[in-house]
Amino acid sequence: MIAQGRSVLLAVSMAMVGAGCVADDPTIAPIADERLLRGRWIVLHADRSAPVCEASIESADDFIERTSEWLGVEPRAIDYYLYSTTPFSCSFSAGGNETSSGAAACALRSRRAVMSRQWFHQHEVAHVIAQGWGTDAPALLEEGLATLLAYEHVHRAVPTVDRAARLEDYLDSWHFVAQPAAQRMALYDASAAFLRFVVDRFGVAALRRWYESVDNLSPPSDTRNQFVRATGLSFEDALRQWRQEPATREDQKHPRLIECSRARSVTALADARFDGALACRGYGLNATPEQRDETIELSAAGWHSVELEANSGLTALLDPCARASDPWTFRTAGDTTRGFVWLDAGRHQLSLSRERATERVRWAITPVEMPADRCGLVPQLRLERSGALAPVSSDAAHWPVLSDALPGQRALALGVVGASSGVTYAQLVEAPPDATISLCTQTCRGFEACSELRAEQPLPFATSSLANTKIELRSTRPSGRVTVVFRS
């Protein structure tokens, strides 16, 4: 959340409770036994117990550098105070009264600094960098821009953008910051999605002209007029065009400056493999797990095998940069897990994490052929230990088996090596509208058993940890993305 720079707004906005805020001059709490880590741009002041690995400093520097470049401002140093055990507050004195935001993080205007319990809080750092555009923009612009620039790389259900949000009613910062927390967070996301529309339609320079021409005391009429001057389109017409766009997920608004747009190092598909112990190369919001992040470049689209091997738990997220969706999740609880996904040409972000970093892990992404002969050799999906998870995902147009019985129906033939429990579960995650997706077993023995897959209930089927169980996935629609997750 935001505490505006003009004192007339302080009493309202700093009384709000939220995830973060922008504040004028709260007191920076000193950290006892401070651990100081310096990067190219970030200066990290941290409790020694704070879960930070030194390699994550490079990721923080990259975010500052790429975000500054996107905004067209010079990158500058930012002090980041990370509190693990030391108490701190985003409170500050306004007119002789102590005012508290209750926030878990805040960006300081005059000090180019962030105070936080989390590493690395992209939203608050984005506030500091965006001061190059001005320090006093209306809440819709200031919070919308910081939300646009911050990308939380996690696997979770991501809702579609709420384009029905009445942004035109919240050009006045008073009304924006005074909303209940849940509604205010929805406004953050809607504002960010609208600003992304402005950038895509008119460019970053137009957004900057609008941002710099108003402040948090500008009446809504001025904010509307300045939008016309910056873009040549009325604010109302822009909202109408934005609302007429196809539904998109909230995560599509982010430019993903580190993960996709300007990755520091890009791995070619031929080198997309690893065998060794993980070391931290990134950062998390609540902790820094032992992890490895790769940005992988594919020159051509096709089916790919994603394989993990470890002695204990290992999780991988594979996130296509060009598609607004949840990343695919692969997980092994030990031994080998292998799933199959269709990857488009371009960049894909792979993030692996585990709790015990000293153990050996192996992963690889390799091209694979999906055969049209359902009864010949087929690629093997592997879930060798209970707790494993692997997706199979592509447009059904890439399923090579054609049905003789139903014209237009397509199928994908696979083998499954399951866990010792003898049962594997398949669950539908994504399918075209009005399509029926089925899983069939015993397809090459003169008889078969088929069951419809549903999103609300996993389907159990018998597998073996010693032999290959042949299955087919079938779609009644010849095209449209289908994702099925297999669990052991």
Side-chain angles (χ1 to χ4, degrees), residues 69-72 133 141 145 148 194-211 227 229-233:
E69 179 183 38
W70 193 87
L71 292 172
W133 282 13
L141 281 165
L145 182 61
L148 168 67
F194 177 68
L195 297 191
R196 180 60 188 265
F197 166 83
V198 173
V199 168
D200 290 343
R201 183 67 59 88
F202 306 106
V204 175
L207 177 60
R208 181 173 185 172
R209 287 194 297 271
W210 186 34
Y211 193 103
F227 183 87
R229 292 189 178 97
T231 66
L233 186 70

Side-chain angles (χ1 to χ4, degrees), residues 10-29:
L10 294 178
V12 172
S13 57
M14 290 305 289
M16 298 296 166
V17 177
C21 66
V22 180
D24 279 328
D25 272 318
T27 301
I28 296 177

Side-chain angles (χ1 to χ4, degrees), residues 411-427:
L412 183 68
L414 296 171
V416 180
V417 176
S420 58
S421 64
V423 178
T424 297
Y425 295 86
Q427 186 167 5

Side-chain angles (χ1 to χ4, degrees), residues 110-421:
S110 63
R111 294 285 301 272
R112 291 192 59 83
V114 169
M115 296 195 299
S116 178
R117 297 185 184 91
Q118 299 172 332
W119 173 256
F120 170 73
H121 207 302
Q122 290 188 0
H123 181 101
E124 299 305 327
V125 172
H127 272 311
V128 176
I129 300 170
Q131 290 177 21
W133 282 13
T135 61
D136 219 19
L140 183 147
L141 281 165
E142 196 162 34
E143 294 299 346
L145 182 61
T147 304
L148 168 67
L149 294 170
Y151 177 62
E152 184 182 359
H153 189 80
V154 295
H155 181 71
R156 58 180 173 82
V158 181
T160 56
V161 173
D162 180 13
R163 288 200 176 90
R166 298 278 304 172
L167 298 183
E168 57 268 48
D169 295 339
Y170 298 101
L171 295 176
D172 182 337
S173 294
W174 282 100
H175 293 99
F176 191 103
V177 302
Q179 299 309 303
Q183 185 173 345
R184 195 166 63 255
M185 293 301 105
L187 285 174
Y188 277 35
D189 281 319
S191 299
F194 177 68
L195 297 191
R196 180 60 188 265
F197 166 83
V198 173
V199 168
D200 290 343
R201 183 67 59 88
F202 306 106
V204 175
L207 177 60
R208 181 173 185 172
R209 287 194 297 271
W210 186 34
Y211 193 103
E212 293 179 336
S213 66
V214 289
D215 62 36
N216 61 43
L217 294 184
S218 297
S221 59
D222 283 358
T223 302
R224 286 182 170 89
N225 291 337
Q226 292 299 334
F227 183 87
V228 175
R229 292 189 178 97
T231 66
L233 186 70
S234 74
F235 184 70
E236 289 71 19
D237 284 345
L239 283 177
R240 185 160 44 251
Q241 292 179 18
W242 171 62
R243 287 169 177 151
Q244 290 172 349
E245 290 197 335
T248 56
R249 304 165 67 93
E250 286 183 354
D251 56 356
Q252 192 175 29
K253 63 183 177 287
H254 306 290
R256 291 193 272 187
L257 300 170
I258 303 305
E259 294 80 6
C260 298
S261 299
R262 288 291 303 273
R264 168 168 289 276
S265 59
V266 177
T267 301
L269 177 63
D271 300 318
R273 60 192 68 248
F274 176 77
D275 191 341
L278 298 187
C280 170
R281 289 181 58 182
Y283 46 74
L285 280 178
N286 297 313
T288 304
E290 297 299 334
Q291 67 183 54
R292 183 179 180 90
D293 296 323
E294 299 282 355
T295 301
I296 298 165
E297 186 87 45
L298 273 67
S299 59
W303 279 102
H304 290 78
S305 161
V306 181
E307 184 170 301
L308 310 179
E309 184 179 340
N311 295 326
S312 60
L314 176 67
T315 299
L317 303 180
L318 182 60
D319 191 357
C321 289
R323 194 162 70 90
S325 64
D326 283 337
W328 291 301
T329 299
F330 301 79
R331 183 167 59 243
T332 179
D335 294 328
T336 301
T337 295
R338 182 189 303 128
F340 301 102
V341 293
W342 179 276
L343 299 180
D344 293 323
R347 290 181 176 178
H348 302 260
Q349 177 76 8
L350 178 72
S351 179
L352 299 101
S353 64
R354 66 177 307 158
E355 294 179 0
R356 289 179 284 181
T358 56
E359 294 182 356
R360 171 184 173 270
V361 304
R362 185 180 70 82
W363 66 268
I365 299 177
T366 54
V368 64
E369 292 290 330
M370 292 295 180
D373 179 5
R374 66 175 55 157
C375 296
L377 293 175
V378 293
Q380 290 186 353
L381 185 83
R382 303 185 73 89
L383 302 105
E384 294 185 357
R385 185 170 292 183
S386 179
L389 182 151
V392 173
S393 181
S394 83
D395 192 300
H398 303 310
W399 294 11
V401 179
L402 301 180
S403 171
D404 297 329
L406 294 174
Q409 179 170 294
R410 304 188 75 91
L412 183 68
L414 296 171
V416 180
V417 176
S420 58
S421 64

Side-chain angles (χ1 to χ4, degrees), residues 27-37 43-50 52 79-89 113-119:
T27 301
I28 296 177
I31 298 175
D33 195 23
E34 178 182 87
R35 178 189 184 192
L36 188 65
L37 296 173
V43 181
L44 176 62
H45 310 258
D47 284 332
R48 291 193 177 273
S49 60
V52 176
D79 285 288
Y80 196 108
Y81 294 84
L82 178 63
Y83 301 95
S84 180
T85 58
T86 301
F88 87 103
S89 173
V114 169
M115 296 195 299
S116 178
R117 297 185 184 91
Q118 299 172 332
W119 173 256

